[in-house]
Amino acid sequence: MSGQPRADNRPPYTRIAGHYRDLISSGELSPGDLLPSIKALSTQWEVSTATADRAMRLLREEKLVQGIPGVGTEVMGRPISLASGSERHDRSGQTQSAWGVGEKSSGHTAAIVEAPEDIAQVLGISPGDDVIRRSRVYRDSHGIVSHSTSWIPAEFAQVLPELARSDRLKGGLSLDLIARATGRSVDKRADEEGARIATDLDLKLLELEPDTVAAILVLTSRFIDADGEVLEYGVDLGAPGRTRRSLTSATQ
């Protein structure tokens, strides 16, 4: 075998990008290593130079490599870990900030909207009922970390109207404000992780080109009070190329 991936139905540029993505993820290619030139890739994979260039462009969009004029395509340092909504909640309780090291958030939007069917099921309401939707984008020096959406029962807008306004919240996360205003705090949470090929909407939210083919991580968290009611449902879309790491004690 030549080292190329076995044949599949993906477009050639996607297969090429996937091959080098795997080498970078496994550590076989390290930060600072150079990938073959576009001409060499074209010959090795028996594709046009335009196809080879498109594969490298995809890896650049995922912040896995960078083009250096006169040098070539260089493997970048691995992006920082992708945080879930639950980790941001924990971090806020410990440091009064949901941001990770080097992170910032932007594009804050909020509104009362009709609940989509999947969100209504999680919150225990009927599809089309009012729900608060709050969204923002987390970024660091590599680019977008994730697009994060919080779905909150509309009843909380009565005591906390700022939850439905497109401004960054003051005094903590939405869950912190809810706890102080109503006495209802998080008693437990349910976290889930999954992966999927980015949809057209995912690409738009993550500011990627419409024709990009990329796998993304989807992290969800249900924050539940002592009565079993969901206070908030968080959905984080991780940007392509981000890694998910968690640490556990060796004594557990």
Side-chain angles (χ1 to χ4, degrees):
M1 298 295 289
S2 65
Q4 294 184 9
R6 59 187 178 183
D8 58 33
N9 293 323
R10 294 179 299 170
Y13 81 95
T14 306
R15 297 203 307 270
I16 297 171
H19 172 71
Y20 288 101
R21 186 187 298 112
D22 290 343
L23 293 180
I24 294 169
S25 297
S26 69
E28 190 169 339
L29 285 175
S30 302
D33 287 348
L34 292 177
L35 272 58
S37 67
I38 296 299
K39 184 176 180 180
L41 286 171
S42 174
T43 300
Q44 176 186 350
W45 290 82
E46 299 180 350
V47 298
S48 68
T49 55
T51 295
D53 182 68
R54 189 177 184 185
M56 293 301 98
R57 187 169 70 245
L58 178 57
L59 294 178
R60 291 196 299 271
E61 290 172 350
E62 296 179 7
K63 308 301 181 183
L64 294 178
V65 302
Q66 60 182 342
I68 303 178
V71 177
T73 302
E74 179 188 54
V75 177
M76 295 175 62
R78 295 182 183 178
I80 64 172
S81 177
L82 170 64
S84 66
S86 58
E87 288 169 320
R88 295 188 187 283
H89 178 247
D90 289 343
R91 187 184 298 143
S92 177
Q94 297 165 0
T95 68
Q96 284 70 59
S97 173
W99 298 334
V101 176
E103 279 188 356
K104 60 182 180 180
S105 60
S106 62
H108 291 253
T109 65
I112 295 179
V113 301
E114 294 183 358
E117 185 173 352
D118 58 333
I119 301 302
Q121 183 176 3
V122 172
L123 296 180
I125 60 179
S126 298
D129 282 356
D130 284 348
V131 63
I132 302 169
R133 181 184 63 202
R134 295 189 59 83
S135 298
R136 80 291 292 169
V137 173
Y138 290 98
R139 305 174 189 270
D140 64 9
S141 59
H142 296 285
I144 290 182
V145 177
S146 65
H147 181 279
S148 180
T149 302
S150 300
W151 298 91
I152 306 168
E155 64 190 81
F156 292 121
Q158 298 176 12
V159 292
L160 293 164
E162 60 266 42
L163 291 179
R165 292 198 289 260
S166 296
D167 298 310
R168 183 178 294 149
L169 295 175
K170 298 179 180 179
L173 299 178
S174 50
L175 288 165
D176 300 323
L177 302 184
I178 289 171
R180 288 198 292 268
T182 69
R184 297 173 62 184
S185 59
V186 178
D187 181 67
K188 60 183 178 181
R189 70 180 185 232
D191 301 332
E192 292 186 0
E193 300 180 14
R196 68 177 181 232
I197 298 299
T199 65
D200 290 343
L201 178 58
D202 296 335
L203 296 176
K204 181 178 180 180
L205 295 176
L206 293 171
E207 300 176 13
L208 296 170
E209 292 297 322
D211 61 350
T212 300
V213 178
I216 62 170
L217 285 174
V218 181
L219 313 177
T220 66
S221 298
R222 285 183 295 147
F223 298 92
I224 305 167
D225 68 11
D227 294 324
E229 298 293 326
V230 177
L231 299 175
E232 182 175 311
Y233 179 55
V235 180
D236 284 275
L237 306 177
R242 293 285 167 172
T243 56
R244 180 83 173 95
R245 301 186 182 98
S246 60
L247 297 176
T248 58
S249 172
T251 60
Q252 289 183 347

